[in-house]
Amino acid sequence: MDTDRMQWFREARYGLFIHWGLYAMLAGEYEGRKTDNIAEWIMNDLDIPVAEYEKLAAQFNPTEFDADAIVRKAKDWGMRYLVFTSKHHEGFAMYQSAYSRYNVVDATPYGRDVVRALADACEKHGMKLCLYYSQAQDWHDPNGYRARYDNSGKDFAKYLEEKCIPQLREILTEYGAIGYIWFDTPMEMTRAQSERLVELVHSLQPDCLISGRIGHALGDFMTTGDNYIPAFPVPRDFEVPATLNGTWGYSRFDHNWKNPKDIIRLMVKIASRGGNYLLNIGPDALGRVPEESAKVLDAVGAFLRGNGDAIYGTRAIPPYVYDIDDCYFTAKPHKLFIHLLRPAESLELLNIANTPLKAYLLDSGKPVEMLNRVTCEGDHSWKFIYPGDHAHQVDTVLCVETQEEWPIFEPLR
Ligand code: JFZ
């Protein structure tokens, strides 16, 4: 893939996903019925008629939404880019669209352009803005696809021409430079239709990347299944979209929050396999970020402030041949980062054949005693003695600077 266009993506490794739309007002329940699926799908899963669902717009007034505060928090959290749902499957545009009055400016008492507010805040704080756009599913438009329904009678080509393409043109010409478009659920789109959208994006913003869910493997990077991480290093750029609880859109019933250790472990695994971690928040009806999600992201941000060098700009590396509990590796040229997600006084690793130059705790720079020997079986052995006064963090990161550019993990023999 074109290296220059991908450079920022490969450097970033960590982004903030924001799912926010009319569904936040229902928060997982409609007329006493709770959805047992992800909350932003409530219209589809509870078969809410369009005429009923669209009434939500007339009540949408998120007076506590603060785009600038959210972007500042994203920076504190260590995220390098932000992906916002400009139009999700519900069909409601979170910006002012000239091609559909079913949007946050024209159809709500709030009357403000959310994408504009986020674009301004991202510009101000040096955060790359990316936009999610549901290019095939649109449960409000009579010709938009709808999962789990019979779409045979739809004129999808009409939907593409009259809503999807004009709206993509709007978000790619009216809000500044866009890092990438996060397309989603291509459904029954033909290859030609996916190619048409790829050409549209490139014609408007040549540097704007395209996510894997454009369809027909035409993305600049692969998008994994939600919350699914590849088990091995992947030979192409990829991104893992992930929730902090069990839903993307806000639900007042889902309190199944992951903890910081879960997140850091996943982040390290994803980076070691060459991917990006796109972690979601779902603001509520008033535009507030759920406190529980902010607490987790605060803790992960604190970890990254001292250890970000072990994540940002790292590259896929071969799997290490032994399975050491809570021990993971990331790497960048001439640096091997050894992550230990449990307290320990020492750590011995076999079958690493690099020439170590120095070893230290990444967050403090404090030197770590390192014994470099060959075992009686002829295997390389590195043994680290952690400094006695070191207080174990969620993830204690050791940096070993090496003569060789990349790790040399010897195979078992
Ligand atoms: C899609 C959306 O339907 C969902 O609402 C959310 O926006 C999520 C990030 O993306 O959900 C998907 C789409 C594709 C897969 C899984 C969930 N997949 O291919 O496994």
Side-chain angles (χ1 to χ4, degrees):
M1 194 48 62
D2 179 339
T3 300
D4 290 344
R5 289 173 73 243
M6 294 305 299
Q7 187 54 33
W8 75 264
F9 182 86
R10 292 170 182 159
E11 182 62 32
R13 288 287 174 256
Y14 188 38
L16 179 65
F17 214 165
I18 305 176
H19 275 71
W20 197 36
L22 294 180
Y23 41 79
M25 297 178 68
L26 299 179
E29 183 177 33
Y30 177 71
E31 293 188 341
R33 292 183 293 153
K34 289 182 189 164
T35 178
D36 56 8
N37 191 19
I38 43 185
E40 70 281 5
W41 271 66
I42 191 166
M43 177 182 171
N44 200 46
D45 293 335
L46 299 192
D47 292 317
I48 304 172
V50 169
E52 287 304 308
Y53 188 88
E54 65 185 7
K55 289 175 182 171
L56 292 170
Q59 304 156 45
F60 189 71
N61 192 18
T63 53
E64 296 191 40
F65 178 70
D66 183 341
D68 196 79
I70 288 177
V71 173
R72 276 184 283 112
K73 284 306 287 180
K75 299 280 284 188
D76 289 347
W77 293 336
M79 280 114 166
R80 295 294 173 83
Y81 60 102
L82 178 153
V83 186
F84 178 69
T85 50
S86 66
K87 182 207 68 126
H88 204 266
H89 308 330
E90 64 179 6
F92 185 73
M94 295 294 278
Y95 73 94
Q96 183 162 29
S97 173
Y99 293 90
S100 165
R101 292 192 60 79
Y102 192 50
N103 73 68
V104 68
V105 174
D106 297 322
T108 78
Y110 183 61
R112 289 182 225 169
D113 188 322
V114 174
V115 174
R116 171 74 60 213
L118 286 168
D120 291 349
C122 286
E123 175 72 25
K124 179 179 172 186
H125 297 291
M127 174 69 72
K128 190 168 283 286
L129 175 65
C130 305
L131 294 174
Y132 169 111
Y133 188 87
S134 175
Q135 77 280 16
Q137 290 204 73
D138 189 312
W139 306 330
H140 187 264
D141 189 289
N143 291 307
Y145 282 143
R146 187 162 184 173
R148 305 188 201 120
Y149 276 68
D150 175 9
N151 291 298
S152 57
K154 306 232 171 147
D155 183 348
F156 182 68
K158 181 178 172 68
Y159 166 74
L160 274 181
E161 291 304 326
E162 296 182 2
K163 184 170 182 182
C164 175
I165 289 172
Q167 287 197 327
L168 280 171
R169 194 179 297 280
E170 286 178 322
I171 62 177
L172 283 162
T173 55
E174 298 174 16
Y175 297 93
I178 304 297
Y180 68 55
I181 299 290
W182 212 92
F183 289 106
D184 200 7
T185 65
M187 303 286 288
E188 299 129 62
M189 285 177 75
T190 65
R191 184 180 179 85
Q193 288 169 334
S194 296
E195 286 171 340
R196 175 91 187 279
L197 300 190
V198 170
E199 287 155 16
L200 174 71
V201 173
H202 289 166
S203 69
L204 298 171
Q205 292 203 27
D207 289 337
C208 181
L209 303 179
I210 290 168
S211 82
R213 293 183 190 164
I214 178 68
H216 302 282
L218 293 173
D220 288 302
F221 56 87
M222 191 269 280
T223 303
T224 66
D226 291 7
N227 291 293
Y228 279 81
I229 69 170
F232 305 105
V234 177
R236 65 169 301 201
D237 297 290
F238 71 92
E239 183 184 65
V240 177
T243 54
L244 274 168
N245 53 1
T247 175
W248 303 91
Y250 176 70
S251 166
R252 61 194 178 89
F253 307 105
D254 185 332
H255 302 290
N256 183 27
W257 303 101
K258 297 180 182 71
N259 64 50
K261 186 172 180 179
D262 296 336
I263 300 300
I264 292 167
R265 187 192 305 271
L266 287 167
M267 179 187 287
V268 170
K269 284 185 175 181
I270 292 165
S272 71
R273 294 160 196 172
N276 284 20
Y277 193 21
L278 181 64
L279 202 44
N280 182 73
I281 57 171
D284 66 14
L286 289 178
R288 298 171 302 191
V289 176
E291 276 183 31
E292 302 96 327
S293 55
K295 279 184 195 147
V296 175
L297 294 175
D298 285 344
V300 176
F303 163 76
L304 285 170
R305 271 191 287 282
N307 298 285
D309 195 32
I311 299 292
Y312 305 126
T314 55
R315 290 285 182 272
I317 51 176
Y320 176 60
V321 289
Y322 283 111
D323 185 356
I324 313 280
D325 282 349
D326 292 323
C327 180
Y328 306 92
F329 300 85
T330 57
K332 58 181 50 168
H334 299 289
K335 286 184 178 179
L336 175 62
F337 301 101
I338 302 168
H339 301 254
L340 193 61
L341 278 71
R342 56 177 162 84
E345 291 175 2
S346 65
L347 175 68
E348 182 167 14
L349 298 170
L350 301 179
N351 290 46
I352 304 178
N354 288 91
T355 308
L357 304 175
K358 59 193 288 195
Y360 49 91
L361 292 176
L362 184 59
D363 58 359
S364 63
K366 196 177 288 184
V368 172
E369 185 183 352
M370 177 179 181
L371 310 175
N372 181 16
R373 65 187 179 92
V374 177
T375 65
C376 306
E377 293 73 27
D379 295 321
H380 288 90
S381 163
W382 286 0
K383 183 169 185 179
F384 301 97
I385 315 297
Y386 290 96
D389 60 354
H390 168 64
H392 175 71
Q393 311 295 324
V394 175
D395 173 4
T396 294
V397 184
L398 253 174
C399 178
V400 182
E401 295 184 8
T402 60
Q403 185 170 292
E404 303 79 10
E405 186 176 26
W406 297 106
I408 304 168
F409 294 147
E410 290 176 310
L412 300 178
R413 50 193 170 82

